[in-house]
Amino acid sequence: MVTTLIFPRAMSRLDHRASGALSVTARNLAAARHAAYWWVLLSGFVEPLLYLLSIGVGVGRLVGDIALPDGRLVTYAQFVAPAMLAASAMNGALAETTMNFYGKLKFMRIYDATLATPITPMQVSVGELIWAMCRGGVYSAVFLVVMAALDLTTWGWALVALPVTLLVGFAFGALGMGLSTLLRSWQDFDYINVTQFGLFLFSGTFSPPSDFPVPLQILIEVTPLYHGVALLRAITTGSPDWTVLWHVAYLVALAVAGLTMASRRMGVLLLK
Amino acid sequence: MAEDEALIAATALVKQFGDFTAVDGIDVRVRAGEAFGFLGPNGAGKSSTMRMIGCVSRPTGGALRILGLDAAKDGAAIRARLGVCPQQDSLDLELTVLENLTVYARYFNIPRKVARARAMELLDFVQLADRAGDKVEPLSGGMKRRLTIARALVNEPEIVLLDEPTTGLDPQARHLVWERLFRLKQRGVTLVLTTHYMDEAEQLCDRLVVMDAGRIVAEGSPRELIDRHSTREVLEVRFGNDPLDGFADKLDGIGERVEVLPDRILVYTGDGDAAAAQVHGRGLTPSSVLVRRGSLEDVFLQLTGRTLVD
């Protein structure tokens, strides 16, 4: 690579850091190979698919077509499908970086041993997120295949949407990981679950935010899932415009903030 | 000792947690190839010191140099050359015995093939080769400890930190761990360990410090410490169920020091048999008499007191 030639030292350092993070990912892969993990994986994918079929297709018959921000009309199933895709990316990432991460942090105490090696908290966070992305990526890929097969998007736009779902997952994963470091016990997960479900219902998923009163509409547009939904809807319906940049920027900022928080807090908790 | 000889050099090292001072300005030098021990009751600051040396805890004050590097700045580079066996086995219960080593080796950026070969070798070393494919959970306490030790060796460390390596193990398991640690020492690996077992310290340590309430109260080889802070022999006398209150006066002048405990009286002396004869000579008839060598335990109790700490 050209960059390797120009910045040999910087690149080798980056390489080293990346391989550190990947070794954390590799640990999860090794663990997953034993566990009944693959069944758990399946459940996270089935849920949004059920929503898509019952509400998108079923309720969609009653609702009729719906207008996109640019005025184009799409079927209700086409409207709901990208939202379920975004929700699935969110759920997959959060499942990994809240419950599972918390368990490893506080109960299995996996990272106590990890951090006694050259691995840093930031590498642990990134490695865990990459793992969450692997899981989220599988969900999204399967979901996109279903969407394309049901004619809810084209194969081409589905291909564009896949990396975007990873960004959505990355942002939510980072946020979830950051928040998990603040939780005191398993009871606190109720807060995350309620918030997650609220986001799922209101983030422009089943109806456009403009259907709600203005204060609620503003609230919706501040929360993260709305940006994931709007971004993926613009792509799978084939109508991206410049606003996608804003959504991407929002999600990248969220990912960076979440990662920073997660690694700092991990340092505070484990490197006393 | 000159600064450059020391693998670990702590100077006025302090660790505070809020208002509580866990380590209160200690100076320690550990030389290459020696087995160095931190002794002390619970809460003396041993583990806090070990965590600072392991570069997973930032010193609040003082200087700490390890392998010629600054612990506050080069933590990752130092950790790459350390092996750590923490007080509580922090094994990965979701992985097999072998994977616990190979996955850990990846954290040191050790190539997969090398990691696997080394892991097999280490499992052999700690006598767990036949359990390589098993889960960790059903292993006995001694096996888990040995696996933790094997894991600490996966990066071929120059210094191995062992925080209470045999606490909670049965005698067979302890002796096996000691023997493996002794072999490591023979290979030139520097061992730093904490313990509150005196026999462990006498078995393993070339040099040790006794810590109490965050400070170092004594330093030297086990023999030196016994010579300096205790006596060559100790006479233990019992008088059945009689109250022992008045005996301090009756035995006064025998040996170097007399300590009256609720159940027995200890006479610290260079010659236990002579002291026993003196006791009989004063017309006293103990129900039992025992002469034993002065031990590190006597030093320990002398220095850190008999009061229960926690």
Side-chain angles (χ1 to χ4, degrees), chain B residues 13-116:
Chain B
L13 190 62
V14 175
K15 181 69 194 185
Q16 289 170 327
F17 299 100
D19 291 338
F20 175 69
T21 304
V23 178
D24 195 4
I26 61 169
D27 292 286
V28 175
R29 298 282 180 277
V30 179
R31 299 183 202 113
E34 76 177 338
F36 189 90
F38 287 95
L39 258 76
N42 290 333
K46 307 184 300 280
S47 290
S48 296
T49 305
M50 287 293 260
R51 285 177 55 79
M52 284 191 279
I53 296 174
C55 297
V56 290
S57 169
R58 204 170 249 285
T60 314
L64 179 58
R65 295 190 69 81
I66 299 157
L67 296 161
L69 300 167
D70 185 348
K73 281 193 216 125
D74 308 310
I78 295 169
R79 291 196 301 271
R81 295 162 68 187
L82 297 181
V84 181
C85 180
Q87 200 173 101
Q88 312 239 302
D89 293 318
S90 55
L91 294 166
D92 195 325
L93 302 182
E94 293 189 325
L95 302 177
T96 65
V97 168
L98 180 66
E99 283 169 345
N100 258 283
L101 303 186
T102 53
V103 164
Y104 204 71
R106 295 287 305 146
Y107 297 151
F108 293 91
N109 212 11
I110 296 167
R112 224 169 286 270
K113 258 189 152 170
V114 181
R116 207 187 147 77

Side-chain angles (χ1 to χ4, degrees), chain A residues 133-200:
Chain A
M133 287 308 84
C134 294
R135 177 171 172 175
V138 174
Y139 285 178
S140 299
V142 178
F143 199 85
L144 281 163
V145 168
V146 173
M147 278 175 70
L150 293 177
D151 228 7
L152 299 174
T153 185
T154 65
W155 291 101
W157 284 119
L159 213 58
V160 178
L162 185 60
V164 177
T165 62
L166 293 187
L167 172 63
V168 174
F170 202 88
F172 274 100
L175 176 67
M177 194 183 288
L179 294 177
S180 299
T181 60
L182 298 177
L183 302 184
R184 295 151 301 178
S185 72
W186 294 112
Q187 273 76 40
D188 286 349
F189 278 98
D190 287 347
Y191 298 117
I192 289 189
N193 291 341
V194 167
T195 313
Q196 201 176 338
F197 195 60
L199 290 178
F200 174 71

Side-chain angles (χ1 to χ4, degrees), chain B residues 174 187 209 299:
Chain B
R174 292 180 75 196
R187 292 186 200 168
V209 292
V299 175

Side-chain angles (χ1 to χ4, degrees), chain A residues 27 34 51 57 86 114 123 132 150 163 179 181 185 189 222 225 228 233 235 258 267 271:
Chain A
R27 180 261 156 210
H34 302 294
Y51 274 107
V57 179
T114 314
Q123 284 173 319
L150 293 177
L179 294 177
T181 60
S185 72
F189 278 98
V222 179
L225 186 59
R233 186 172 283 145
I235 291 168
L271 303 178

